Amino acid sequence: MCGIVGYVGNKIAKDYLLDGLETLEYRGYDSAGIATLEGDTIRATKVVGRVEQLRKEEGQNPHVGSVGIGHTRWATHGGVVTKNAHPHHDMNEEFFVVHNGIIENYEEIKSFLLSKGYSFYSDTDTEVVPNLIAYHYSKTNNVTTAFQAALETLRGAYALTMITTHEPESLYVAKLSSPLAIGVADDELLVGSDALPIASRTQDVVFLEDGEMAVLNQEGYKILDIETKKSIERATEFIEIEEADGGLRGFDDFMSKEINEAPATVRSAMLGRLRVEEKLIKLGGLELVEEQLRYIDRIVVVACGTSYYAGLVGEYLLEEIAGIPVEVQQASEFRYRTEPLSRSTAVLVVSQSGETADTIAALKKLDGSGILTLGIVNAPGSTLARMTDAGVYCHAGPEKAVASTKAFVSQVTVFLLIALHLSKTYKDYEKIINELDTLPQLMEEVLKNSTDIKKLAEKYSDSKDFLYIGRRYSFPLALEGALKLKEISYIHAEGFAAGEMKHGPLALIDENFPTFAYALSSDINEKTISNMQEIKTRGGKIIAVVDDKNSNAAKLADDYILIPKVSEQLQPLIGALPAFLFAYYAAKKLGRDIDKPRNLAKSVTVE
Ligand code: G6P
């Protein structure tokens, strides 16, 4: 999962390449590189580290060419060292390629090329591609034919961009399973793994489909079907992209900025949709499928990571409020599962980026099935937004920190809106609508009191392990809280349904294994308090999230975090904040790279 860019036009390529790579760093950030045509040769600059380092390195010897490619890497094959950073070239340095995806049959291709006398310098799967193109070029003397022939051999997933000394005015691109967009501006064509880097120059975009390649030059772009070699006419579409807000606005990092944007995110997700006076939820994105929705009697929610946990909250909401049976599946499982789905089932994908490989593959599996597909997506114009039949955008704005926070909150808000929209007879319908309207203010109160959470996080930051527990609506919060802590602080953390404690996790508890317990008001809170008691009895320390400081939970806990009391269905929105802040401050105390934690990427574009 890497970010790729390409440029052909009448300006200096590297300006777009470097800016574009910065926008795409959410796809990976362990190394970066660019290559441009400089006279008769191609020159590459590569670094281990961030695009910022690449800029510095490039500044020592600036690239001036106006045709080029660039890459920001998240390593799959081969360690994080300069020789494995992209762009990769053939042994004669005539074909340079950047690649997002995995070439599954690279070993086979490599053996073949070795037998033909080709040599290799890196440990990557990608390096076979420029050499295979070079091999076919040696046979045909035609770049288009060579590129096409090489692509026909590749198995796996790729978005590829290539430049060559044999056709110095052209840029070649191809796609199979990994997204690729071409921006068409005056006097220049811009390539990106998605439309985000392109948006700074143009909003007229063409998306390649699987099995297609294109040749780009000053005259324009020509799309070809790789297999049939037939040319394909495709006009540009105008893409609405929310301008990336590059600034930290005084925050130390994007994660704290985004946590603090959570109340605004909820407002924005509700804007124009929550009609308090009319006691109505209006969801324009679902209007087209309103009729079909009436016949839906089951929803399968499919997502990854934090979006999956938002889906688990959605399950409770849709089942209780809308009365529709829901099942939530991880996209990586759903895509390979043999499961009968009836036509009265809708599949609802949830994704911040709209570019997660497994979630895209899950939707592809449904091609031609007639199943209604819906999306809760944050990134407008993204692959998933375009693939679904209908959906509701989150409108959370760009999220930059790898750990998802405001997107989770917006996804849960959208689930709540959909549940209310689909509900016919829910007893607390009006109550929830009224409460939702004032919820952002209550969320702001939690953020104002973040100093107390900071002190607690610092106090517990030397723990090696953490348990998170909760019941019903707080159960997904426990899972999400544990994920947040492990991904940014690297403290081992597990989330469990409080009722499952006795089935294993309790064995872990001692004075060094603290528990973060959600003990918010509900008719079953006493059950959670009993579980807390069992932990205390075994010497475990407890931090409880409570909404009543006189509750038994607050009394029992070693420390507690007090949040405003709301209806249980709204608790995940406000209850997520203490877990986000706790993880954030623990990671900060430990000196972690908060926005770009080790080994992770914002958008997982390979499976
Ligand atoms: C990565 C991110 C997570 C995110 C997950 C799913 O793991 O680091 O924050 O929840 O991908 O991404 P999506 O964009 O589909 O929500």
Side-chain angles (χ1 to χ4, degrees):
M1 76 228 161
C2 309
I4 68 179
V5 285
Y7 181 91
V8 53
N10 60 3
K11 304 196 179 79
I12 292 182
K14 67 104 184 265
D15 293 332
Y16 168 73
L17 298 179
L18 292 172
D19 292 350
L21 288 182
E22 231 151 47
T23 315
L24 288 172
E25 263 194 325
Y26 72 87
R27 286 171 171 257
Y29 38 78
D30 55 41
S31 40
I34 58 168
T36 53
L37 272 143
E38 312 274 305
D40 296 341
T41 56
I42 296 174
R43 183 161 66 85
T45 305
K46 313 189 207 186
V47 297
V48 166
R50 308 280 160 88
V51 178
E52 203 184 323
Q53 271 107 296
L54 179 65
R55 261 188 208 287
K56 279 192 199 133
E57 183 73 20
E58 191 274 338
Q60 314 280 331
N61 186 6
H63 287 240
V64 294
S66 54
V67 177
I69 54 179
H71 190 265
T72 174
R73 182 170 188 242
W74 186 88
T76 57
H77 294 62
V80 183
V81 290
T82 315
K83 70 169 181 177
N84 292 334
H86 297 221
H88 285 293
H89 57 76
D90 67 301
M91 67 175 186
N92 296 319
E93 304 193 26
E94 291 168 356
F95 297 89
F96 279 65
V97 161
V98 289
H99 167 218
N100 170 33
I102 293 175
I103 308 296
E104 286 168 359
N105 56 339
Y106 82 101
E107 281 179 356
E108 222 172 276
I109 300 173
K110 195 167 175 177
S111 319
F112 168 75
L113 290 167
L114 284 169
S115 74
K116 298 284 173 199
Y118 285 79
S119 60
F120 293 84
Y121 59 86
S122 78
D123 313 312
T124 65
D125 52 338
T126 304
E127 197 190 348
V128 299
V129 181
N131 281 298
L132 190 60
I133 300 169
Y135 166 76
H136 285 293
Y137 183 78
S138 72
K139 304 276 171 218
T140 60
N141 232 13
N142 180 304
V143 177
T144 308
T145 317
F147 189 64
Q148 214 161 27
L151 295 174
E152 275 176 338
T153 310
L154 304 182
R155 278 208 317 272
Y158 58 75
L160 281 170
T161 303
M162 177 199 78
I163 52 174
T164 171
T165 52
H166 295 289
E167 219 179 284
E169 70 290 354
S170 302
L171 185 71
Y172 279 75
V173 295
K175 161 182 166 31
L176 186 72
S177 294
S178 297
L180 195 108
I182 303 168
V184 183
D186 294 341
D187 305 323
E188 55 185 7
L189 293 169
L190 311 125
V191 174
S193 301
D194 59 36
L196 282 178
I198 295 170
S200 61
R201 304 248 177 147
T202 179
Q203 283 175 284
D204 293 320
V205 178
V206 185
F207 292 95
L208 279 199
E209 301 286 342
D210 281 351
E212 291 179 353
M213 58 173 272
V215 189
L216 283 54
N217 54 35
Q218 287 281 14
E219 268 85 68
Y221 62 93
K222 193 174 159 197
I223 305 177
L224 296 169
D225 184 292
I226 296 168
E227 204 184 317
T228 64
K229 303 174 180 55
K230 286 206 180 108
S231 95
I232 295 164
E233 293 300 317
R234 186 167 308 133
T236 58
E237 43 185 297
F238 186 79
I239 294 291
E240 301 266 357
I241 298 215
E242 293 168 44
E243 267 300 305
D245 177 8
L248 283 168
R249 295 214 198 111
F251 288 95
D252 288 355
D253 38 56
F254 282 102
M255 185 173 175
S256 57
K257 175 175 178 260
E258 287 158 7
I259 295 173
N260 278 279
E261 282 169 356
T265 297
V266 174
R267 280 192 193 101
S268 149
M270 298 191 306
L271 193 69
R273 295 167 172 169
L274 178 76
R275 311 277 177 92
V276 183
E277 299 293 304
E278 301 153 69
K279 304 281 173 251
L280 184 79
I281 305 290
K282 190 163 167 44
L283 298 174
L286 295 185
E287 271 167 18
L288 269 179
V289 296
E290 239 19 284
E291 185 62 25
Q292 271 167 286
L293 275 174
R294 261 189 244 144
Y295 299 101
I296 293 304
D297 58 13
R298 178 178 178 240
I299 296 177
V300 178
V301 176
V302 177
C304 301
T306 289
S307 298
Y308 168 75
Y309 293 139
L312 289 178
V313 179
E315 178 177 17
Y316 284 86
L317 290 169
L318 283 163
E319 292 194 336
E320 180 174 358
I321 299 176
I324 301 175
V326 176
E327 187 191 340
V328 194
Q329 294 192 31
Q330 283 156 340
S332 53
E333 285 301 310
F334 178 85
R335 65 181 288 188
Y336 293 119
R337 193 164 156 171
T338 311
E339 174 188 13
L341 290 173
S342 80
R343 294 282 287 275
S344 55
T345 298
V347 169
L348 167 57
V349 292
V350 188
S351 176
Q352 187 287 123
S353 63
E355 301 294 347
T356 303
D358 281 325
T359 317
I360 292 172
L363 267 194
K364 278 200 184 139
K365 179 179 150 176
L366 300 173
D367 274 355
S369 66
I371 301 265
L372 177 68
T373 60
L374 306 170
I376 296 180
V377 175
N378 189 34
S382 58
T383 304
L384 285 169
R386 285 181 287 117
M387 281 174 83
T388 40
D389 296 325
V392 183
Y393 276 122
C394 293
H395 294 315
E399 188 180 62
K400 294 202 153 191
V402 164
S404 185
T405 54
K406 67 172 180 172
F408 174 85
V409 166
S410 71
Q411 290 162 345
V412 172
T413 309
V414 172
F415 265 115
L416 194 44
L417 295 176
I418 296 178
L420 290 165
H421 179 68
L422 297 178
S423 87
K424 291 174 191 79
T425 50
Y426 183 53
K427 61 178 179 26
D428 290 331
Y429 179 89
E430 284 200 25
K431 181 174 174 243
I432 299 285
I433 286 195
N434 290 335
E435 261 191 83
L436 250 182
D437 195 33
T438 53
L439 187 80
Q441 281 143 263
L442 301 180
M443 293 169 75
E444 267 152 17
E445 278 178 34
V446 179
L447 296 171
K448 270 189 216 132
N449 296 331
S450 66
T451 326
D452 295 344
I453 302 176
K454 179 172 187 262
K455 281 186 201 141
L456 277 182
E458 288 174 353
K459 174 174 161 190
Y460 286 90
S461 64
D462 58 357
S463 306
K464 296 283 169 275
D465 306 280
F466 241 101
L467 193 69
Y468 282 67
I469 57 167
R471 277 175 189 261
R472 210 150 61 190
Y473 285 95
S474 293
F475 166 46
L477 282 189
L479 298 175
E480 169 58 13
L483 173 69
K484 213 91 297 172
L485 187 69
K486 77 181 102 175
E487 70 182 330
I488 59 163
S489 75
Y490 317 150
I491 297 172
H492 165 239
E494 303 272 359
F496 271 92
E500 282 289 297
M501 288 298 296
K502 288 193 217 46
H503 299 291
L506 205 52
L508 298 168
I509 295 300
D510 63 19
E511 61 282 10
N512 299 315
F513 205 127
T515 298
F516 192 102
Y518 278 100
L520 299 168
S521 302
S522 81
D523 56 339
I524 53 167
N525 197 26
E526 287 306 320
K527 311 263 177 205
T528 307
I529 295 170
S530 302
N531 299 128
M532 289 167 60
Q533 187 69 64
E534 287 152 10
I535 291 169
K536 283 298 286 181
T537 307
R538 285 151 185 91
K541 299 260 184 311
I542 298 177
I543 304 169
V545 181
V546 300
D547 53 13
D548 174 2
K549 65 176 172 16
N550 298 315
S551 63
N552 289 338
K555 285 178 198 142
L556 189 63
D558 296 272
D559 294 287
Y560 68 83
I561 298 168
L562 182 66
I563 64 171
K565 194 179 274 187
V566 292
S567 287
E568 198 188 348
Q569 297 76 2
L570 271 60
Q571 284 170 357
L573 290 169
I574 198 157
L577 298 178
F580 292 164
L581 290 165
F582 186 81
Y584 173 78
Y585 286 119
K588 201 150 168 85
K589 170 82 173 155
L590 295 168
R592 308 298 191 216
D593 188 343
I594 303 260
D595 286 341
K596 294 194 170 106
R598 70 182 182 200
N599 307 339
L600 300 179
K602 179 73 186 153
S603 181
V604 178
T605 56
V606 291
E607 73 169 301

